[in-house]
Amino acid sequence: EDEMSDALTENEIETLRKGAMGAGLLVSVSDRKFFDTFKEAGTLAKHVAVARGSSESTVVRQAAEGHGTGFGMTTPPDQIEQGTLDALRSAVTVLEAKVPNELAAYRAFVLDLARSVAAAAPGGDQAEAGAIAKIEAALKGTATDSA
């Protein structure tokens, strides 16, 4: 066990996971019809595996490991959005505080996941771009938030 993986508590890893999974859901939710097919198919798990595959990060592996998204299948879109963006902001705060060198990897993982979902969705590009912009903004964190 490297000391990296002990840096984060179960709860913190849960938050990272919720942010990542939520990001995928948020993009799919931006296109209602796509969300309905998406939530049935275990599609998210495939996207997560792909995004994780390109990452060397322990934190990303931990965030990508679990099952479940932290959201119910009947969670309304506005709650998915709120919950996701809150989780992402918390995740960034945790990473900045504990393992700042992992922040870029997590950010890349979440955005890869979101873009991968967007690419799979039929049409709806503007709505998806809007969702990705919100995800990106939530991932910026405090360090870059001096504007």
Side-chain angles (χ1 to χ4, degrees), residues 16 45 96 98 103:
L16 267 59
E96 281 180 335
K98 290 192 160 183
L103 181 55

Side-chain angles (χ1 to χ4, degrees), residues 18-19 21 23 53 61-62 70 72 77 86 94 99-100 105 110 116 125 130-131 137-138 145:
K18 183 173 182 177
M21 301 301 169
R61 281 200 299 277
Q62 289 178 311
D86 286 348
V94 163
V99 280
V110 173
S116 162
D125 295 334
D145 201 41

Side-chain angles (χ1 to χ4, degrees), residues 7 12 22-23 37 50 74 76 79 97-98 106 130 137 140:
E12 288 165 344
T37 53
V50 170
T74 54
Q79 281 180 24
K98 290 192 160 183
Y106 178 73
K140 279 214 166 61

Side-chain angles (χ1 to χ4, degrees), residues 9-146:
T9 66
E10 260 322 292
N11 273 354
E12 288 165 344
I13 290 167
E14 203 47 59
T15 299
L16 267 59
R17 180 177 304 142
K18 183 173 182 177
M21 301 301 169
L25 281 177
L26 183 54
V27 171
S28 72
V29 135
S30 66
D31 175 347
R32 199 60 236 181
K33 293 186 296 297
F34 181 51
F35 180 59
D36 290 334
T37 53
F38 189 81
K39 64 184 182 183
E40 302 306 326
T43 319
L44 190 54
K46 281 186 229 131
H47 289 288
V48 168
V50 170
R52 179 183 60 198
S54 62
S55 180
E56 301 288 292
S57 160
T58 312
V59 162
V60 166
R61 281 200 299 277
Q62 289 178 311
E65 256 157 24
H67 295 290
T69 59
F71 296 98
M73 282 315 176
T74 54
T75 306
D78 58 329
Q79 281 180 24
I80 290 178
E81 179 173 316
Q82 191 58 56
T84 296
L85 300 179
D86 286 348
L88 288 173
R89 284 189 282 264
S90 301
V92 168
T93 305
V94 163
L95 292 173
E96 281 180 335
K98 290 192 160 183
V99 280
N101 56 323
E102 292 280 337
L103 181 55
Y106 178 73
R107 197 177 269 147
F109 166 64
V110 173
L111 287 170
D112 282 353
L113 175 58
R115 290 190 183 115
S116 162
V117 171
D125 295 334
Q126 247 156 342
E128 283 144 23
I132 289 173
K134 287 175 186 170
I135 290 163
E136 263 181 307
L139 282 166
K140 279 214 166 61
T142 48
T144 50
D145 201 41
S146 51

